Amino acid sequence: MDRARALLADASRIVAFTGAGISAESGIPTFRGKDGLWNDVEVETFGTPWGIRALLDNDPGRLASHLLDRADVLLDAQPNAAHKAIADLEQAGRLAGVVTQNVDGLHRDAGSRNIFCLHGDLINWRCVDCRQLHQHSRPGLKQLVQSFTGATTANEILSQIPHCQVCGGLTRPGVVLFGEELPTDQVEGAVDLLARCDLLLVIGTSGVVEPAASFARTVVRRGAPMIELNMEPGDLTSSATVSLFGAAGNILPELIA
Ligand code: OAD
């Protein structure tokens, strides 16, 4: 902790690189590890566009109940002490921004401003044809997903999904599934931010998903120090200057106090 505090004190352009672990204390299970989402559902089925398409066609009831479960977890969540500590650090002029793999919007809700979402954002839907942005509110989105309750046909799900106001195409959540490209504007913003950071704060990520993990490694290769905050060692641990293991909601406020 002393070493991490000293690194923090020397830095003037800190960037936070976050993953699912920062939202664990907000009640959102991580993807891997003991209670990870990918232990309960198959990533190939629920985490890829072709898997979801096949579910819609062949088992729409299972897709509807998965979406209802996810909406319950994601849309009611509130930022925790770790999200707030990151937002405070930015407000104090010490943190230049956040690069996150999370789609839950909790950094924004905590008051962070300069945020780049490598895997998209649940609230920001897009038209699948013309890519027009369609923003939802959390309650609006919850109501939309609740309309899938009891659905047994693909049409019962599809008929509830809004169409694009510009071209009439179908809209979908602006989240990145496996096999899809990362959003260019978010990647460009993240790359620019990370190129100028002088301390990387890695929080709550196993560092196994690419290309996201390589964004963190690039900073270290350039010579900037990295502080890692995770529950247990992961793929980025060997790149870290200092690793602190425990819950981010406890450690982070203590670190920046
Ligand atoms: P993972 O589930 O792979 O890793 C979560 C990390 O959080 C682990 O390293 C845990 O040690 C740590 N952790 C758990 N609870 C914590 C806590 N309270 N405080 C601090 N750390 C904690 O999640 P990600 O690395 O974010 O992508 O996963 C990366 C990507 O894989 C996700 O963005 C998602 C997923 O499949 C897509 O869906 C494209």
mmCIF file of all heavy atoms in Angstrom, residues 3 28 38 62 108 121 126 151 202 218 241 250:
data_model
loop_
_atom_site.group_PDB
_atom_site.id
_atom_site.type_symbol
_atom_site.label_atom_id
_atom_site.label_comp_id
_atom_site.label_asym_id
_atom_site.label_seq_id
_atom_site.Cartn_x
_atom_site.Cartn_y
_atom_site.Cartn_z
ATOM 1 N N ARG A 3 3.908 1.609 -1.199
ATOM 2 C CA ARG A 3 4.531 1.735 -2.527
ATOM 3 C C ARG A 3 3.510 2.274 -3.537
ATOM 4 O O ARG A 3 3.820 3.154 -4.347
ATOM 5 C CB ARG A 3 5.040 0.333 -2.926
ATOM 6 C CG ARG A 3 5.671 0.226 -4.250
ATOM 7 C CD ARG A 3 7.150 -0.197 -4.158
ATOM 8 N NE ARG A 3 7.793 -0.074 -5.456
ATOM 9 C CZ ARG A 3 7.872 -1.050 -6.345
ATOM 10 N NH1 ARG A 3 7.403 -2.252 -6.055
ATOM 11 N NH2 ARG A 3 8.450 -0.849 -7.515
ATOM 12 N N ILE A 28 -23.122 -6.909 -9.375
ATOM 13 C CA ILE A 28 -23.061 -7.484 -10.730
ATOM 14 C C ILE A 28 -21.969 -8.550 -10.747
ATOM 15 O O ILE A 28 -20.789 -8.228 -10.565
ATOM 16 C CB ILE A 28 -22.737 -6.389 -11.783
ATOM 17 C CG1 ILE A 28 -23.762 -5.254 -11.700
ATOM 18 C CG2 ILE A 28 -22.708 -7.004 -13.185
ATOM 19 C CD1 ILE A 28 -23.492 -4.088 -12.643
ATOM 20 N N TRP A 38 -19.941 -16.728 -16.957
ATOM 21 C CA TRP A 38 -19.614 -17.767 -17.954
ATOM 22 C C TRP A 38 -19.517 -19.172 -17.332
ATOM 23 O O TRP A 38 -19.304 -20.134 -18.045
ATOM 24 C CB TRP A 38 -18.316 -17.417 -18.702
ATOM 25 C CG TRP A 38 -18.350 -16.150 -19.504
ATOM 26 C CD1 TRP A 38 -17.327 -15.255 -19.638
ATOM 27 C CD2 TRP A 38 -19.422 -15.616 -20.320
ATOM 28 N NE1 TRP A 38 -17.689 -14.210 -20.461
ATOM 29 C CE2 TRP A 38 -18.976 -14.404 -20.889
ATOM 30 C CE3 TRP A 38 -20.725 -16.028 -20.608
ATOM 31 C CZ2 TRP A 38 -19.769 -13.619 -21.728
ATOM 32 C CZ3 TRP A 38 -21.521 -15.233 -21.444
ATOM 33 C CH2 TRP A 38 -21.046 -14.063 -21.990
ATOM 34 N N ARG A 62 -35.794 -19.181 -23.617
ATOM 35 C CA ARG A 62 -34.546 -19.179 -22.841
ATOM 36 C C ARG A 62 -33.833 -17.831 -23.008
ATOM 37 O O ARG A 62 -33.268 -17.295 -22.058
ATOM 38 C CB ARG A 62 -33.651 -20.334 -23.316
ATOM 39 C CG ARG A 62 -32.448 -20.532 -22.436
ATOM 40 C CD ARG A 62 -31.782 -21.865 -22.658
ATOM 41 N NE ARG A 62 -30.565 -21.918 -21.856
ATOM 42 C CZ ARG A 62 -29.389 -22.320 -22.302
ATOM 43 N NH1 ARG A 62 -29.253 -22.727 -23.541
ATOM 44 N NH2 ARG A 62 -28.346 -22.323 -21.506
ATOM 45 N N ARG A 108 -20.161 6.325 -15.257
ATOM 46 C CA ARG A 108 -20.889 7.560 -15.601
ATOM 47 C C ARG A 108 -21.811 7.946 -14.440
ATOM 48 O O ARG A 108 -21.845 9.110 -14.021
ATOM 49 C CB ARG A 108 -21.692 7.318 -16.883
ATOM 50 C CG ARG A 108 -22.459 8.517 -17.388
ATOM 51 C CD ARG A 108 -23.214 8.182 -18.674
ATOM 52 N NE ARG A 108 -23.934 6.917 -18.551
ATOM 53 C CZ ARG A 108 -23.935 5.967 -19.473
ATOM 54 N NH1 ARG A 108 -23.286 6.113 -20.593
ATOM 55 N NH2 ARG A 108 -24.615 4.844 -19.282
ATOM 56 N N ASP A 121 -21.790 0.088 -24.503
ATOM 57 C CA ASP A 121 -22.585 0.607 -23.398
ATOM 58 C C ASP A 121 -24.022 0.096 -23.553
ATOM 59 O O ASP A 121 -24.636 0.264 -24.603
ATOM 60 C CB ASP A 121 -22.549 2.146 -23.480
ATOM 61 C CG ASP A 121 -23.191 2.818 -22.304
ATOM 62 O OD1 ASP A 121 -24.115 2.235 -21.718
ATOM 63 O OD2 ASP A 121 -22.772 3.938 -21.989
ATOM 64 N N ARG A 126 -28.029 0.984 -30.832
ATOM 65 C CA ARG A 126 -27.756 1.471 -32.189
ATOM 66 C C ARG A 126 -28.630 0.735 -33.181
ATOM 67 O O ARG A 126 -29.023 -0.411 -32.960
ATOM 68 C CB ARG A 126 -26.291 1.250 -32.566
ATOM 69 C CG ARG A 126 -25.375 2.237 -31.886
ATOM 70 C CD ARG A 126 -24.027 2.357 -32.552
ATOM 71 N NE ARG A 126 -23.214 3.310 -31.820
ATOM 72 C CZ ARG A 126 -23.189 4.608 -32.064
ATOM 73 N NH1 ARG A 126 -23.914 5.130 -33.034
ATOM 74 N NH2 ARG A 126 -22.430 5.407 -31.340
ATOM 75 N N ALA A 151 -42.318 -14.555 -23.047
ATOM 76 C CA ALA A 151 -42.230 -14.717 -24.502
ATOM 77 C C ALA A 151 -41.853 -16.154 -24.849
ATOM 78 O O ALA A 151 -40.967 -16.730 -24.215
ATOM 79 C CB ALA A 151 -41.198 -13.755 -25.081
ATOM 80 N N VAL A 202 -5.092 -0.428 -12.774
ATOM 81 C CA VAL A 202 -5.884 -1.526 -13.335
ATOM 82 C C VAL A 202 -6.768 -2.085 -12.226
ATOM 83 O O VAL A 202 -6.260 -2.493 -11.173
ATOM 84 C CB VAL A 202 -4.949 -2.637 -13.878
ATOM 85 C CG1 VAL A 202 -5.728 -3.901 -14.212
ATOM 86 C CG2 VAL A 202 -4.202 -2.146 -15.111
ATOM 87 N N THR A 218 0.429 -2.170 -23.266
ATOM 88 C CA THR A 218 1.123 -1.160 -24.072
ATOM 89 C C THR A 218 1.651 -0.034 -23.189
ATOM 90 O O THR A 218 2.748 0.470 -23.402
ATOM 91 C CB THR A 218 0.130 -0.584 -25.122
ATOM 92 O OG1 THR A 218 -0.389 -1.671 -25.846
ATOM 93 C CG2 THR A 218 0.796 0.389 -26.061
ATOM 94 N N THR A 241 3.504 -3.090 -11.506
ATOM 95 C CA THR A 241 4.581 -2.615 -10.638
ATOM 96 C C THR A 241 4.251 -2.987 -9.191
ATOM 97 O O THR A 241 5.111 -3.414 -8.422
ATOM 98 C CB THR A 241 4.712 -1.078 -10.758
ATOM 99 O OG1 THR A 241 4.601 -0.717 -12.131
ATOM 100 C CG2 THR A 241 6.015 -0.565 -10.178
ATOM 101 N N ASN A 250 -12.989 -1.507 -0.919
ATOM 102 C CA ASN A 250 -12.248 -1.246 0.323
ATOM 103 C C ASN A 250 -10.903 -0.598 0.026
ATOM 104 O O ASN A 250 -10.515 0.385 0.645
ATOM 105 C CB ASN A 250 -11.955 -2.551 1.079
ATOM 106 C CG ASN A 250 -13.218 -3.187 1.587
ATOM 107 O OD1 ASN A 250 -14.218 -2.506 1.807
ATOM 108 N ND2 ASN A 250 -13.193 -4.498 1.747
#
